[in-house]
Amino acid sequence: MKKLTIALIMILSLVPKQSQAQNNGAAVAAVAGGLLAIGAGIAAVEDMKERAELTATQYVLANHPELNSFSLKTLDFNGKKTKDMSATSVISFKIQEFSPSDNPKLDGKKLVLLAFTSYGWISDQGIDFNKVQWYLIDNSEWMNMIVAYAKVASKEKSDAVLKDALANGVVVNKGIKAKGKSEIPFFKLEGDMYLVTDYSSEMKLIYNEKTLGIFLKKTRNLVQMGRAAVIDTHEFLFQQN
């Protein structure tokens, strides 16, 4: 509702105050049509978010019985439009455990569930979660992934140096930034250039400017995790409760 109110104010501000009465009617109709479209888009994304969270929860319940009390929310649906979602190749979910009590605090172990999508996962019929591969990681696994990624993306090859920089900073477009400065710059590449490291039996990590590329060996799909999603994931896993 707040988004609709803001949209109404913005649209009305575009209607000239000198408009004649008959033109006002057309303007109001246009505003109403615009609001309906905006409302439908917001509702569609919210519906997808709820369905995604439900399916992710079902995956956790079916495959990770060790998790008995946890919160699960999407990390990267905010600000997305319906058309953006069809091109999304990774959806991130933040999971945090807690101790059962009245009004519990989320103060337990943090995990991130990565949902790797493949072509056709969104259609006119909705979301096909059979086209989604799941990967659950903790902060240790995430650190190992980003260190491997940074080693192939930069001249720095020391695990200790990279872990120290990442523990006190974030991955930005041009490298690893910590303490207000760029400590470890990444190579400058053209858009069609890729640097690859064979990370595990499940995936290869690919450096291409502004994205973390993940090649899934099982499906042979190359998915891309945008820099904002990388930053959000890193901050969630390493920020203090």
Side-chain angles (χ1 to χ4, degrees):
M1 183 60 69
K2 182 178 179 181
K3 293 180 180 178
L4 289 176
T5 302
I6 294 173
L8 175 60
I9 294 172
M10 292 177 64
I11 296 173
L12 287 177
S13 68
L14 299 176
V15 180
K17 295 181 180 179
Q18 298 84 4
S19 296
Q20 297 178 353
Q22 60 269 32
N23 291 334
N24 285 344
V28 169
V31 168
L35 288 177
L36 287 173
I38 293 171
I42 293 173
V45 171
E46 285 300 314
D47 178 63
M48 282 191 288
K49 178 180 177 180
E50 291 179 4
R51 293 180 62 187
E53 288 181 347
L54 173 60
T55 305
T57 302
Q58 291 171 339
Y59 169 81
V60 171
L61 294 174
N63 296 276
H64 294 278
E66 73 278 8
L67 296 176
N68 295 315
S69 53
F70 62 92
S71 167
L72 184 149
K73 296 181 181 179
T74 55
L75 259 173
D76 53 4
F77 264 77
N78 292 337
K80 286 190 180 294
K81 300 177 182 179
T82 308
K83 64 179 181 179
D84 297 329
M85 295 309 302
S86 61
T88 299
S89 55
V90 184
I91 306 174
S92 306
F93 301 88
K94 57 182 180 180
I95 298 172
Q96 187 165 9
E97 295 182 283
F98 61 88
S99 299
S101 66
D102 291 332
N103 302 313
K105 293 183 179 180
L106 297 178
D107 55 5
K109 182 177 181 179
K110 295 179 178 180
L111 301 162
V112 167
L113 179 62
L114 300 177
F116 299 115
T117 67
S118 57
Y119 180 78
W121 78 283
I122 290 183
S123 67
D124 294 339
Q125 285 71 45
I127 301 176
D128 181 1
F129 282 101
N130 291 320
K131 295 183 179 293
V132 177
Q133 300 293 318
W134 305 93
Y135 195 74
L136 186 66
I137 60 174
D138 58 12
N139 56 2
S140 177
E141 179 67 11
W142 175 256
M143 178 64 80
N144 290 336
M145 289 176 63
I146 298 303
V147 166
Y149 174 70
K151 286 173 74 172
V152 77
S154 70
K155 294 180 180 179
E156 183 58 62
K157 306 304 178 185
S158 168
D159 285 11
V161 171
L162 288 168
K163 286 183 178 180
D164 181 67
L166 287 164
N168 298 285
V170 295
V171 178
V172 295
N173 287 342
K174 295 182 180 180
I176 299 173
K177 185 175 182 181
K179 302 175 183 177
K181 62 180 181 179
S182 180
E183 293 198 341
I184 300 175
F186 286 170
F187 297 125
K188 295 180 180 179
L189 300 180
E190 298 295 332
D192 56 356
M193 294 180 176
Y194 306 89
L195 295 173
V196 183
T197 181
D198 195 357
Y199 176 70
S200 70
S201 61
E202 298 174 297
M203 64 179 66
K204 293 182 179 181
L205 302 179
I206 295 93
Y207 169 62
N208 177 256
E209 280 196 317
K210 299 183 181 180
T211 63
L212 164 59
I214 302 174
F215 177 75
L216 303 171
K217 296 180 180 179
K218 181 179 180 180
T219 61
R220 301 193 174 216
N221 284 340
L222 173 60
V223 299
Q224 293 183 323
M225 195 170 184
R227 189 68 72 228
V230 171
I231 292 173
D232 289 345
T233 300
H234 194 82
E235 289 182 346
F236 168 68
L237 288 172
F238 288 95
Q239 70 185 1
Q240 297 298 316
N241 292 320

